[in-house]
Amino acid sequence: MTPIALTIAGSEASGGAGAQTDLKTFHTLGVFGCTALTCIVSMDPKNDWNHRFVPVDPAVIADQIETCASVHSRVDAVKIGMLGTAPTIDVVERALETYDFPTVVLDPVLICKGQEFGGALEVDNALRTKILPRATMTTPNLFEAATLAGMEEITAVEQLKDAAKRIHDQGVPNVLAKAGPSLGTGTALDVFYDGATLEVLEVEAVGTERVHGAGCTLAAAITAELAKGASPLQAAVTAKEVVSSSIRHGLRGNMPFLYVYQGEYRRS
């Protein structure tokens, strides 16, 4: 039977990230994807491509998840991306409790960078307390890993290992803490930890510039592989290969950065 994965994430109009990228990644890996959109995100070409964010009504989010959970005989894995508001987090938490999906991958999109108003911190704290404990696996980037681990910053591989362990100790069975090329190793480096196995995963870095949608692709690929029955470590290894291919075959438009394209992965 074809595996089924649900993405609970934002719509990103350019198609370079968010639920659109999740669905492309699921399809590339042979998994049927369905969606529950949490917000509508569009980038403003008149304002340095900054994000314009419109939340979806929580009742509509609940309806979408109900549809996916009811139409399909099963949902093998769920990927959670951008949530963005406290009411959205509340409704997703209730859905996770109601439907008890077997596998949940959280890409923990944090919105408070330490300078914003208190509401942003409140949303991030809600994500940490209500969604993170329900995750089978989480995929924080350097900033998110440091924040979730209670660290000032991460500038070395040993610190990234420590962060992965600290996040695991908060009740997440599997952690993939992502550095990519940011630690200056000359590789795209992430750390996997499951409480027993600590693995530094490295592949050849494909450039050093910002790439739109790489994080979404990684978490979606992990979700797809878990839906197919892979172990968390195997899923992480495959996901890194998918991301490398998606960057290598990425597209360039009018934005000042590359955006991923997953469609060449199986062909390569």
Side-chain angles (χ1 to χ4, degrees), residues 79-102:
K79 183 237 174 182
I80 298 176
M82 181 67 177
L83 299 180
T85 72
T88 297
I89 290 170
D90 288 342
V91 76
V92 171
E93 180 194 27
R94 288 195 295 272
L96 295 178
E97 182 174 355
T98 298
Y99 301 110
D100 193 25
F101 299 114

Side-chain angles (χ1 to χ4, degrees), residues 86-246:
T88 297
I89 290 170
D90 288 342
V91 76
V92 171
E93 180 194 27
R94 288 195 295 272
L96 295 178
E97 182 174 355
T98 298
Y99 301 110
D100 193 25
F101 299 114
T103 300
V104 176
V105 177
L106 173 63
D107 189 13
V109 181
L110 301 183
I111 60 176
C112 181
K113 302 295 189 279
Q115 312 261 330
E116 289 90 340
F117 58 94
L121 180 59
E122 178 186 359
V123 171
D124 287 353
N125 286 339
L127 183 72
R128 180 203 297 267
T129 59
K130 297 181 178 182
I131 306 298
L132 186 65
R134 296 182 179 276
T136 308
M137 187 164 181
T138 189
T139 61
N141 61 26
L142 277 183
F143 165 74
E144 294 156 352
T147 300
L148 293 174
M151 302 166 66
E152 284 292 322
E153 62 178 350
I154 296 172
T155 59
V157 176
E158 290 304 314
Q159 290 177 306
L160 191 62
K161 293 178 182 177
D162 185 34
K165 292 177 180 179
R166 292 189 189 195
I167 296 168
H168 174 272
D169 288 345
Q170 296 177 46
V172 187
N174 303 279
V175 179
L176 185 68
K178 304 177 298 186
S182 299
L183 295 181
T185 60
T187 62
L189 183 149
D190 305 326
V191 170
F192 174 86
Y193 184 63
D194 64 2
T197 300
L198 179 67
E199 290 277 352
V200 176
L201 306 180
E202 296 181 88
V203 297
E204 180 184 355
V206 185
T208 58
E209 68 175 316
R210 172 186 175 188
V211 180
H212 189 54
C216 298
T217 301
L218 183 77
I222 288 172
T223 305
E225 289 300 299
L226 292 176
K228 290 157 61 175
S231 73
L233 179 56
Q234 291 171 331
V237 170
T238 299
K240 287 182 67 64
E241 295 172 356
V242 175
V243 172
S244 292
S245 173
S246 300

Side-chain angles (χ1 to χ4, degrees), residues 31-52:
V31 172
F32 183 91
C34 52
T35 61
L37 298 181
T38 58
C39 56
I40 309 298
V41 176
S42 57
M43 291 178 289
D44 187 353
K46 300 181 291 297
N47 185 24
D48 198 27
W49 302 99
N50 284 318
H51 289 173
R52 297 175 288 202

